[in-house]
């Protein structure tokens, strides 16, 4: 079998590490080339590399919750990813642990035989400075622009322009732009709408605005500009992790990233996931 597979197990999770070891054994018996992430290598006893070094392999398997898959997707870019769900909700991770061996080995065999497998692309967002030379790492869930901190005394005045037309401007904790994938995350906690994964849309939502407008659903190709002012410091943040400090007044452009995340294997049931939300 001429297939290269990377396996990433949720950090400090013995169950994930044990499943990773089983997958390594099964795939290597079939002749696949397998590496695990360097945090798992010691526990599994096989070749280990940084997750980013798995970019370009035929398949990367993420074992954990949606947070683990978000991390993996950020590191490996457009490399096909399969999610095995050890979490509670699992909007992205469709494969149950008991089914993992069969699904992963079947996918590897299909890749070996045909060179490809059926996949689903998930849009990512890119934030760039309009008058400043910076670009954040792409976000699978959301881009957020907010003041120096959340809560009392920490907001900013944030304006929203859609294709050059003003939609809203208000003092607020911030504004977020979410993908359909991210609609069930930060967006939902801020009162934004749920978006079915098959919908090709983005959501623009204010966060605790003093003069609120309803969350706005737009086409993915829409030009979205967020203007932040009336604060000494603000931030643009990608998926709650990568951040860029802003010196207001500042403008941030949010648009589709060039490369989507490529999910392979069974699809998670969106409505089953909703039943597990609190």
């Amino acid at each position: 079998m001429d297939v290269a597979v990377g396996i990433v197990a949720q950090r400090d999770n013995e169950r994930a590490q044990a499943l990773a070891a089983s997958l390594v054994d099964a795939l290597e018996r079939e002749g696949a080339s397998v590496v695990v992430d360097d945090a798992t290598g010691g526990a599994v006893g096989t070749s280990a590399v940084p997750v980013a070094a798995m970019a370009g392999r035929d398949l990367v398997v993420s074992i954990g919750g949606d947070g683990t898959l978000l991390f993996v997707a950020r590191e490996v870019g457009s490399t096909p990813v399969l999610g095995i769900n050890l979490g509670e909700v699992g909007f992205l991770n469709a494969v149950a642990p008991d089914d993992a061996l069969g699904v992963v080995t079947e996918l590897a065999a299909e890749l070996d035989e045909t060179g490809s497998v059926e996949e689903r692309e998930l849009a990512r967002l890119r934030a760039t400075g309009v008058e400043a030379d910076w670009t954040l790492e792409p976000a699978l869930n959301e881009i957020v622009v907010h003041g120096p901190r959340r809560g009392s005394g920490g907001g900013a005045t944030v304006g929203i322009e859609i294709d050059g037309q003003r939609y809203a401007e208000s003092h607020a904790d911030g504004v977020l732009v979410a993908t359909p994938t991210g609609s069930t995350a930060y967006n939902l906690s801020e009162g934004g709408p749920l978006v079915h994964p098959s919908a090709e849309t983005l959501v623009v939502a204010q966060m605790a605005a003093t003069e609120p407008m309803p969350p706005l659903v737009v086409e993915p190709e829409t030009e979205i500009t967020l203007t932040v002012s009336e604060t000494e410091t603000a931030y643009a943040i990608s998926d709650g992790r990568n951040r860029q400090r802003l010196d207001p007044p500042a403008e941030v452009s949010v648009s589709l990233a060039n490369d989507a995340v490529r999910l392979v294997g069974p699809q998670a049931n969106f409505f089953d996931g909703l039943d597990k939300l609190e």
Side-chain angles (χ1 to χ4, degrees):
M1 178 182 288
D2 186 21
V3 175
V5 180
I7 298 175
V8 182
Q10 187 176 49
R11 188 178 294 271
D12 299 324
N13 186 320
E14 292 183 0
R15 186 183 179 200
Q17 292 172 349
L19 182 52
S22 297
L23 289 174
V24 169
D25 289 343
L27 288 166
E28 289 185 339
R29 283 198 302 271
E30 298 296 325
S33 169
V34 188
V35 295
V36 299
D37 64 282
D38 45 13
T40 303
V44 173
T46 193
S47 300
V49 300
V51 177
M54 297 181 187
R57 298 185 78 83
D58 298 303
L59 174 68
V60 176
V61 180
S62 170
I63 307 172
D66 281 354
T68 303
L69 193 143
L70 279 172
F71 166 68
V72 171
R74 187 165 52 242
E75 295 294 307
V76 304
S78 58
T79 302
V81 178
L82 170 73
I84 298 173
N85 183 32
L86 299 186
E88 290 297 322
V89 178
F91 284 106
L92 297 173
N93 298 281
V95 180
D98 290 346
D99 300 328
L101 282 176
V103 170
V104 173
T105 54
E106 286 174 11
L107 278 175
E110 185 176 350
L111 280 167
D112 184 53
E113 181 177 347
T114 68
S116 65
V117 292
E118 185 177 352
E119 60 186 41
R120 178 167 63 100
E121 290 192 348
L122 304 181
R124 297 197 294 176
L125 294 172
R126 178 183 63 181
T128 59
V130 174
E131 297 180 354
D133 186 20
W134 61 265
T135 300
L136 283 176
E137 289 293 319
L140 181 56
N141 273 348
E142 76 280 311
I143 297 290
V144 173
V145 171
H146 69 58
R149 61 186 180 279
R150 295 293 309 274
S152 178
T157 296
V158 186
I160 304 169
E161 287 190 0
I162 305 296
D163 287 334
Q165 299 293 310
R166 175 177 163 176
Y167 176 66
E169 183 175 80
S170 175
H171 189 85
D173 282 354
V175 169
L176 64 82
V177 182
T179 64
T181 302
S183 73
T184 58
Y186 204 168
N187 164 74
L188 186 62
S189 70
E190 292 293 337
L194 289 170
V195 179
H196 193 274
S198 64
E200 296 184 359
T201 61
L202 302 176
V203 177
V204 185
Q206 295 169 297
M207 302 156 59
T210 57
E211 299 177 63
M213 288 288 287
L216 182 67
V217 178
V218 300
E219 294 182 346
E221 294 77 16
T222 300
E223 181 182 345
I224 302 169
T225 304
L226 306 179
T227 304
V228 59
S229 60
E230 297 186 5
T231 180
E232 292 185 0
T233 305
Y235 296 92
I237 305 173
S238 171
D239 277 346
R241 179 182 178 91
N242 299 293
R243 65 175 55 207
Q244 172 67 43
R245 186 181 184 276
L246 306 175
D247 294 317
E251 292 186 25
V252 178
S253 174
V254 181
S255 60
L256 286 182
N258 291 330
D259 296 325
V261 171
R262 298 161 61 195
L263 281 188
V264 298
Q267 294 189 23
N269 187 304
F270 178 70
F271 296 101
D272 284 349
L274 296 182
D275 287 340
K276 299 175 185 177
L277 290 175
E278 294 182 359

